[in-house]
Amino acid sequence: RAQEVFSMFFGGDDPFSDFGGGGGGMGGMPGGIRIQMGGPGMMGGMPGNMESMFMGGGGFPGGQPRRRASRPEPKRFDVLRTGAQVMLHGLVSAADRNDEVGVVERYDDGRGRYQIKVEGDVLSLKGANLHQLLRGVRLLDVSKPELEGKSGTLLGTRPDRTGETRYLINLASLKQTVAVKAENLILPGGALVRIRDVQSKPALNGKHGTIQSWDGAAKRYVVQITPAEAPKLKLANVELV
């Protein structure tokens, strides 16, 4: 089953063949992606003062305090959104669940963990054990003109032979998977990122935020950190969490 899903994503191709690795270049890649009271008369015989405590003889106390409606939790932009699709990785005690695909149910702020639904189970996992699976990722300034502007699904990351991180993008329309640098892709709205290397506002560095949009003319992301804070940042100033 795992091989069938792998073939669906990769079509048997090695995304690192362009880097000189040739066959077997996917070593270490998550190959096993598993790709989800009473009625009338009841008051008879009661003392009058007790009877007056009930409404119309129906048997329910009048003036019983009502529950206050709980306030909705404020929306957060520094954690993965509910419904986000993720792939599990780096699990030790449950290593058999690595490469499975799940959905974020909520973030437990007290424990610093996400509640992830995976095939009927709900697992409590750290963010470090989750890869975001993002649709609508676009390629930018790539070496192959035929790939420029193409849209696909981000499957995860892995280092190339030099140790530099490459992002694996499945291009369904071309039945091809490519590996590109961070500066060669545009992340879609909803992606959770970490801010880095901002010289003009160093206080932003290290904060997490959610991409709202991409300003193509300015070549900057609009990144929502809080409801009131959404700076515009260059490609080099964000990295996928």
Side-chain angles (χ1 to χ4, degrees), residues 33-44:
I33 297 177
R34 288 173 269 178
I35 318 245
Q36 44 249 310
M37 263 171 4
M42 285 193 66
M43 302 303 297

Side-chain angles (χ1 to χ4, degrees), residues 166-184:
R166 301 278 176 163
Y167 291 81
L168 299 173
I169 313 298
N170 176 251
L171 305 173
S173 61
L174 301 179
K175 297 181 179 180
Q176 183 179 357
T177 298
V178 297
V180 301
K181 297 179 181 179
E183 58 263 34
N184 295 125

Side-chain angles (χ1 to χ4, degrees), residues 5 23 36 43 45 55 74 80 82 104 158-159 163-165 194 197 217:
V5 179
Q36 44 249 310
M43 302 303 297
M55 298 180 298
L80 290 171
T82 299
V104 175
R158 64 156 292 173
E164 186 174 5
T165 298
R194 182 184 299 107
D197 301 331

Side-chain angles (χ1 to χ4, degrees), residues 37-44 46 50-51 53-62 64:
M37 263 171 4
M42 285 193 66
M43 302 303 297
M46 270 194 173
M50 185 176 291
E51 184 175 354
M53 293 172 59
F54 294 83
M55 298 180 298
F60 290 98
Q64 184 176 357

